[in-house]
Amino acid sequence: MSSSFAPSFRWRFTRGVAFVALVLALPTLQGCNSGSATAVSDACMTYWVSPTGSDATGDGSVAHPFASIQKAQMTVRDSPLRGQCKIAVNIEGGVYHLKAPLVFDARDSGALGDEVVYQAAPNSVLPVVLSGGLDVSGFQCAGGRCVAQVPDLPSGIMPRQFYVDDHRATRARSNTGTAINPDYGWVSNGYRPVHSVATLTHPELVEAVTTTQWKMMRCPVASVSSGTLVMAQPCWDNANTFPSPWNFYQLSWLENAPEFLTDPNMWYLDPYTKTITYLMAASTPPQTATLPVLESLLQIKGTPAAPVGNLQFRNLVFAYATWLLPNSSNGYVADQSGNLLIGTGYQPNVIGHQQVTYSTPGNISLQYAHHIAFVGNTFKHLGGVALSLGTGSQNNSILNNHFTDISSSALQVGGISDRDMRPDAAGTNSGNLVQNNVITRTGQDYWDTAGIYVGFTKNTTIAHNSVSHVPWSGLAIGWGWGLLDKDGFPGLPGATPNMWGTHSTPTITSNNQIVANRFSYFLEKLWDGGAIYANGAQGPDFANGLLIQGNVAESKRAGAGSNIFYTDGGSQFITLTQNVTLNDPTGTLDFGACGYPTSFEGSSFAQDLCLLNWLPYGADMGGCVPVGDLKFTNNYFNDPTKFYAICHNQYVPPNPVNVSISNIGITSAADVPSYILQNAGPQ
């Protein structure tokens, strides 16, 4: 199940000196500490926005503020001072219910040193909340069951989340206490009951969910035929293009039916009667409740010829947005890391991945955006990726923010499309800085996602962040398992060289750094991931490759089989030095419980996967068919010598090439230099 490598050579490295020099080279944060930032006060022009203001009669002064951010935006856009000096929009505390996303284009740009700043007004008592939610009130409660009308629910909108008293409620689901739904068996078009089950009032609103290994998928029910839950297309067929166990071979649970309202904190929305039912989690009725209805709160949306530049957003709260694609017939068919199959034309494969996938969108998104800064904000209660830095995002700064209770990833830097991997200069994702952020409780609805996902990008630095309580990997970087790289390396069992096309040039991925972050409580739901997971070539050579330095990974779920620093298929040109693993014991395989009828009928392989459970899996270092060209030097690991390589490909050497390993064995934090532990995480 594993193989050990003797170091091919020892890479000399002066511990401490190079690491401290790198840390000191990172940009200094002015006035930033723990989720807040000093307000900009040197503006040549200041406009004010207040919940008690007026767009009709206000002039934007502190005495006569505007009522909406949109009004202030249009005023700044028309100002002759924009781009000539710094302009501030001070937003008084309160909740701003957005009816549509805020959209900024090149007409809203500032200039370097003369930015346009949207910020919480200095000395605001209340937070400034930009909300895409619909408040719900008037609950009638009896015996712990609370019911309210939602007459203002927009037509055709079916929110996927509900928040009560600032906490996420659980959408009604079956079998909350087990990993496999025991009531249904797999058939070619869906699931049929194996014994008497409750009749579903609205089966067309129900969703089937599967979770296994590093995978989670969701498919809506299209109809019921002779008791069988017939699944929506193309979701069902797309999900089953993957081989077992990465398809819908097992049913984990059903979701979104009133029949599943069994436990406190569960909710169900009937869109036909516009009625929401909530089972009280406490002894008192809900004091506040919110259904998110907008899919986007903020879009920084430039073009190749006219990018948006030099905006800042400081000390704001972005909250209560949903994401509705999983409601559609496409469902949520994740290839990996929240990258999805959408539409038709996918063919069955043996490698577990498809060439054409689409990113989960950001509730706050950037495209062709330069020198945009998000400083000291809070991102919470969001239904997609919280913040996405997409195509053409260059030299943006994500500093000192707090991300919590996110359905997918907190941050997404770089895309995975053809235009992202080999872009022109305008479309390149480059020079972005993600620093000093606190990220916790991501992947709440989509367990296959990482806290931070990094696609095709260059010169990006991710430093001094804290990532905790994530269902899969803390950070994932790369895409394609070598098949999208120059020479089409087959970095998956069953793959053949160039099966995804011939590429004569490398992707843009190069010169990225993951430095001094702290990862804790990862792999809380799934397994076969890591604190940092990488795949594909990370540069054209070592000099321009990926640096992973000074990160601390601690307290993963003990039973989760994983490689803590995971250099997976096609990984190449990665230097890992002075990283630390603490309290990360070797976990096991886990393919679900045996004896349930949810597996493919007649498929002994699918039914027997559970027999592999409890086999040890993973180490501090490892990966499935990396190219090699990996340097592990002066890392502080429980097992400092073993590279865990569980799988192989007939077209490549049995072991990765040019792997140098020279680490230090430890048994506790006392064996690790204090400067590494102190530097990891927000400063």
Side-chain angles (χ1 to χ4, degrees):
M1 295 293 289
S2 66
S3 60
S4 295
F5 287 54
S8 57
F9 65 92
R10 290 186 176 273
W11 185 43
R12 294 189 177 276
F13 189 91
T14 303
R15 292 198 300 272
V17 176
F19 178 66
V20 171
L22 186 147
V23 169
L24 292 177
L26 293 173
T28 301
L29 304 184
Q30 298 296 329
C32 296
N33 58 69
S34 188
S36 63
T38 302
V40 167
S41 59
D42 59 344
C44 69
M45 176 65 72
T46 301
Y47 295 99
W48 293 77
V49 178
S50 170
T52 60
S54 170
D55 287 348
T57 61
D59 59 8
S61 65
V62 65
H64 303 286
F66 299 131
S68 72
I69 299 169
Q70 292 92 331
K71 177 64 175 179
Q73 176 193 2
M74 293 300 105
T75 303
V76 172
R77 179 181 287 182
D78 293 336
S79 171
L81 295 176
R82 181 177 57 82
Q84 304 302 310
C85 60
K86 189 171 293 183
I87 297 176
V89 176
N90 288 342
I91 308 170
E92 296 281 4
V95 179
Y96 294 81
H97 291 281
L98 303 178
K99 302 302 182 185
L102 298 168
V103 179
F104 292 80
D105 62 28
R107 296 171 294 174
D108 301 300
S109 295
L112 280 174
D114 296 320
E115 294 84 4
V116 178
V117 182
Y118 293 82
Q119 63 183 3
N123 303 316
S124 286
V125 175
L126 296 174
V128 175
V129 180
L130 278 59
S131 172
L134 175 67
D135 290 341
V136 179
S137 60
F139 280 97
Q140 301 296 313
C141 301
R145 187 181 185 91
C146 298
V147 180
Q149 296 294 315
V150 194
D152 296 329
L153 182 69
S155 177
I157 299 297
M158 184 67 174
R160 298 179 59 82
Q161 296 83 28
F162 182 52
Y163 302 94
V164 176
D165 297 332
D166 202 33
H167 294 284
R168 179 181 291 246
T170 301
R171 197 161 71 149
R173 51 169 283 191
S174 65
N175 63 297
T176 57
T178 61
I180 294 178
N181 189 310
D183 300 325
Y184 290 84
W186 187 93
V187 292
S188 61
N189 62 346
Y191 292 102
R192 69 180 179 201
V194 295
H195 51 72
S196 179
V197 296
T199 300
L200 300 175
T201 305
H202 292 297
E204 74 282 2
L205 302 179
V206 173
E207 193 168 280
V209 182
T210 185
T211 62
T212 180
Q213 203 165 343
W214 39 265
K215 196 89 158 175
M216 184 183 206
M217 294 186 288
R218 296 169 171 270
C219 271
V221 173
S223 62
V224 177
S225 176
S226 301
T228 294
L229 302 180
V230 179
M231 308 307 296
Q233 298 290 6
C235 182
W236 182 249
D237 282 351
N238 286 347
N240 289 309
T241 62
F242 299 116
S244 295
W246 307 311
N247 47 30
F248 247 103
Y249 88 101
Q250 72 177 24
L251 176 64
S252 296
W253 68 82
L254 297 173
E255 190 169 298
N256 199 38
E259 291 76 23
F260 304 149
L261 280 169
T262 57
D263 297 355
N265 201 44
M266 281 188 171
W267 68 281
Y268 172 76
L269 173 65
D270 186 329
Y272 308 116
T273 62
K274 293 191 175 183
T275 301
I276 191 165
T277 302
Y278 173 72
L279 302 188
M280 284 195 300
S283 58
T284 57
Q287 302 301 298
T288 62
T290 305
L291 276 170
V293 294
L294 284 187
E295 296 185 87
S296 175
L297 300 178
L298 174 65
Q299 299 173 15
I300 312 296
K301 196 172 182 179
T303 67
V308 188
N310 303 292
L311 301 175
Q312 294 186 8
F313 300 88
R314 304 171 73 94
N315 297 329
L316 307 174
V317 178
F318 298 93
Y320 304 118
T322 190
W323 174 44
L324 301 176
L325 177 72
N327 289 345
S328 75
S329 60
N330 282 295
Y332 179 84
V333 180
D335 185 295
Q336 186 172 305
S337 300
N339 296 316
L340 313 171
L341 277 58
I342 298 175
T344 59
Y346 293 98
Q347 299 301 311
N349 67 87
V350 298
I351 63 175
H353 299 283
Q354 294 281 5
Q355 181 177 356
V356 177
T357 55
Y358 301 86
S359 300
T360 296
N363 296 129
I364 295 88
S365 61
L366 279 64
Q367 189 172 46
Y368 295 103
H370 300 174
H371 301 286
I372 308 298
F374 287 85
V375 185
N377 303 286
T378 296
F379 300 80
K380 68 176 185 177
H381 306 330
L382 298 174
V385 169
L387 175 59
S388 175
L389 278 61
T391 303
S393 294
Q394 300 177 8
N395 302 307
N396 302 298
S397 300
I398 313 301
L399 308 174
N400 241 75
N401 303 283
H402 184 204
F403 296 81
T404 186
D405 188 30
I406 311 298
S407 291
S408 184
S409 296
L411 278 160
Q412 188 170 268
V413 183
I416 46 100
S417 70
D418 288 344
R419 70 173 181 173
D420 295 307
M421 70 181 77
R422 291 178 175 86
D424 58 16
T428 298
N429 186 291
S430 66
N432 297 299
L433 174 65
V434 177
Q435 184 173 318
N436 260 46
N437 301 283
V438 175
I439 297 170
T440 186
R441 304 195 186 283
T442 64
Q444 294 289 289
D445 285 330
Y446 310 109
W447 293 358
D448 58 293
T449 56
I452 300 173
Y453 178 71
V454 183
F456 292 106
T457 184
K458 68 177 185 178
N459 301 321
T460 287
T461 298
I462 298 177
H464 290 301
N465 302 286
S466 169
V467 180
S468 66
H469 295 291
V470 296
W472 183 59
S473 296
L475 182 151
I477 183 169
W479 192 250
W481 297 269
L483 292 169
L484 297 173
D485 295 323
K486 183 180 179 181
D487 301 326
F489 180 84
L492 295 159
T496 58
N498 297 306
M499 64 181 292
W500 285 0
T502 301
H503 307 285
S504 60
T505 60
T507 71
I508 64 162
T509 299
S510 56
N511 295 301
N512 297 313
Q513 299 184 358
I514 303 170
V515 179
N517 301 283
R518 186 174 289 270
F519 300 94
S520 59
Y521 302 104
F522 49 98
L523 292 161
E524 288 199 314
K525 298 292 187 181
L526 303 179
W527 59 281
D528 199 17
I532 298 176
Y533 168 92
N535 79 62
Q538 295 300 311
D541 49 40
F542 269 122
N544 298 284
L546 172 63
L547 175 65
I548 300 176
Q549 181 171 1
N551 301 281
V552 175
E554 58 187 338
S555 302
K556 79 165 179 70
R557 180 168 58 89
S562 69
N563 296 304
I564 308 305
F565 292 94
Y566 202 140
T567 49
D568 204 18
S571 289
Q572 189 177 26
F573 300 125
I574 305 177
T575 298
L576 300 98
T577 184
Q578 294 185 297
N579 300 289
V580 180
T581 62
L582 295 171
N583 189 30
D584 295 318
T586 299
T588 63
L589 305 176
D590 179 7
F591 290 106
C594 290
Y596 290 95
T598 59
S599 298
F600 287 126
E601 290 184 336
S603 172
S604 60
F605 172 74
Q607 293 172 0
D608 292 344
L609 279 171
C610 61
L611 300 178
L612 301 175
N613 291 351
W614 319 119
L615 290 175
Y617 180 95
D620 296 294
M621 305 171 285
C624 175
V625 200
V627 175
D629 297 313
L630 307 172
K631 296 179 181 179
F632 295 89
T633 64
N634 294 317
N635 298 289
Y636 294 83
F637 289 164
N638 178 63
D639 191 336
T641 61
K642 182 169 70 174
F643 186 96
Y644 190 86
I646 192 174
C647 48
H648 304 283
N649 183 296
Q650 63 175 321
Y651 294 97
V652 301
N655 291 316
V657 300
N658 191 24
V659 177
S660 62
I661 298 175
S662 179
N663 298 315
I664 300 157
I666 64 170
T667 58
S668 71
D671 301 325
V672 181
S674 59
Y675 69 85
I676 296 179
L677 300 178
Q678 292 167 2
N679 272 304
Q683 300 295 295

